[in-house]
Amino acid sequence: MSEHHIENEDQFLKQVEKAARKGAASGSRRSGIFSSILTVVLVIAVFLAAKRFFDPSGLLKREGPVEGHDMTLENQGLFGYTAADFAEAVLGDARELKKLEVYSREVSDAATITNAGLLKLKAFSKTQILTYHGTATYTVDLSQLTEDDISLEENEQENIHKVKIQIPHALREEINIPSDKIEFGDVDKGLLALGEIRLTAEETARVQTEARARMEEKLEEDRVQEEADRFAVLSVWEIYHPLISSISPAYELEIEFR
C-alpha cells in the first residue's frame, strides 16, 4: 500500500475522531452520542487496519469507477454496479476456440512414374499414374487476440456504436493427403517389359512431397487464400455477433484483418 494512501486514511480517521469529540463537547446528546461516534470510529479503524495488514491478496480493494468500463448495464451508486467489457468477453471465448477452421478446399495432383528399361527402349519401359487427393484446411488462430485487437467506435450524434475486432489472416495448414485416397493407375508396359513398378519408401515419400508442393502452387494460382480470408471474416462474425448483441443490441460488429 502506498504512503500516500496510508496518509489519506490517517487523515480520515483524525477528521472523524475530531468531529466525534466536537459533537460530544457541544452537549447535544452528551455521552450517548459520544459513545456511538467513538464506536463508529473504532469500527472504521479496525476495518482499515484489517485492510492494511491482513489483506495481502487484495480482496478488500475497491473496483474502479463505472466510467472505466465499456458499458454500464446497471448503476446502483454505493451499492455497486453491473458493467460489461467487450474485450474480456471476446478474449475469454477466443482462448477456448483457439484455431478456428474457416475454409477447406479439395485439391489433387497426378504424377506419372516412368521406369525406363534396357537401353531406354520403350519396348522395355513401364509407366504408371499415381493420383494424390488432398485437403487444404485454412484456420484462424484466435488465441493470438489481445485487448489491442478489440476497439470501440462510438459517436452519439451519428448514432454509431461499433465493436471492431482485428484478426490474423487465414493460415493454410499442411495439405493432408490420406494414404487411402491415393489412386494407383494401371501399369502401362512396353511390348517386352515385365513385372510391376516398385518404389522404395524413400522414393514414395519424395513423389508425395513433390505432389504436395504442386498442390500448394495450384492453390496460390487460384487465389484460394483470398477466399479463405473471406470465410474467415464470416466465421468470426457468426461466432461473436450473438455475444455482442447479447450485451447490447445497439452495437454492431465489424471484423477486420490486422
Side-chain angles (χ1 to χ4, degrees):
M1 181 176 295
S2 65
E3 295 182 359
H4 179 70
H5 187 63
I6 295 175
E7 182 180 350
N8 288 342
E9 291 181 355
D10 291 340
Q11 292 177 354
F12 173 70
L13 289 176
K14 290 180 181 179
Q15 291 176 0
V16 174
E17 185 176 358
K18 181 178 179 181
R21 295 186 181 280
K22 182 178 180 181
S26 65
S28 59
R29 293 185 181 177
R30 299 181 181 267
S31 60
I33 290 182
F34 181 70
S35 176
S36 298
I37 294 178
L38 285 181
T39 300
V40 173
V41 172
L42 180 61
V43 170
I44 294 175
V46 170
F47 175 80
L48 293 177
K51 179 179 178 182
R52 184 182 304 176
F53 299 107
F54 300 102
D55 187 32
S57 61
L59 294 177
L60 298 178
K61 289 184 178 179
R62 300 183 62 189
E63 291 286 351
V66 68
E67 293 79 10
H69 296 274
D70 292 339
M71 176 183 293
T72 302
L73 301 177
E74 185 178 6
N75 190 353
Q76 297 179 330
L78 293 176
F79 295 97
Y81 60 78
T82 302
D85 291 288
F86 291 103
E88 293 181 4
V90 171
L91 289 176
D93 202 14
R95 293 189 184 98
E96 293 182 6
L97 291 170
K98 295 183 180 178
K99 283 192 176 182
L100 175 67
E101 292 187 7
V102 297
Y103 188 71
S104 65
R105 170 70 69 87
E106 301 296 324
V107 59
S108 62
D109 188 72
T112 300
I113 308 299
T114 301
N115 182 199
L118 181 64
L119 300 177
K120 301 180 183 177
L121 295 175
K122 288 185 177 292
F124 294 100
S125 296
K126 294 172 288 189
T127 61
Q128 184 180 27
I129 296 178
L130 303 184
T131 304
Y132 295 88
H133 297 278
T135 302
T137 301
Y138 292 79
T139 63
V140 173
D141 190 355
L142 295 178
S143 65
Q144 296 181 12
L145 290 183
T146 67
E147 292 186 7
D148 294 335
D149 296 316
I150 303 168
S151 60
L152 292 179
E153 181 180 334
E154 296 183 293
N155 189 321
E156 293 293 343
Q157 294 181 349
E158 299 182 9
N159 195 28
I160 296 177
H161 303 279
K162 186 179 297 183
V163 178
K164 289 185 178 181
I165 301 179
Q166 292 183 318
I167 62 174
H169 284 276
L171 176 67
R172 186 187 68 238
E173 303 292 327
E174 183 178 69
I175 298 175
N176 180 35
I177 306 176
S179 58
D180 60 345
K181 297 294 185 181
I182 301 175
E183 295 181 12
F184 296 85
D186 295 332
V187 178
D188 186 10
K189 301 178 183 179
L191 183 61
L192 301 177
L194 299 174
E196 303 294 330
I197 295 179
R198 300 189 184 279
L199 300 178
T200 65
E202 181 180 354
E203 290 171 339
T204 300
R206 287 174 59 190
V207 174
Q208 183 165 318
T209 299
E210 180 62 24
R212 179 179 285 111
R214 292 178 180 273
M215 290 179 185
E216 293 173 351
E217 292 177 2
K218 179 64 175 176
L219 293 170
E220 292 179 4
E221 290 174 2
D222 290 350
R223 307 176 73 90
V224 177
Q225 177 68 50
E226 296 179 6
E227 188 76 359
D229 279 341
R230 187 172 71 85
F231 277 93
V233 171
L234 292 175
S235 299
V236 176
W237 188 90
E238 288 176 353
I239 290 173
Y240 290 115
H241 180 259
L243 176 64
I244 301 301
S245 295
S246 66
I247 296 176
S248 173
Y251 279 79
E252 298 179 0
L253 174 61
E254 183 175 308
I255 307 297
E256 301 177 333
F257 288 109
R258 291 175 178 169

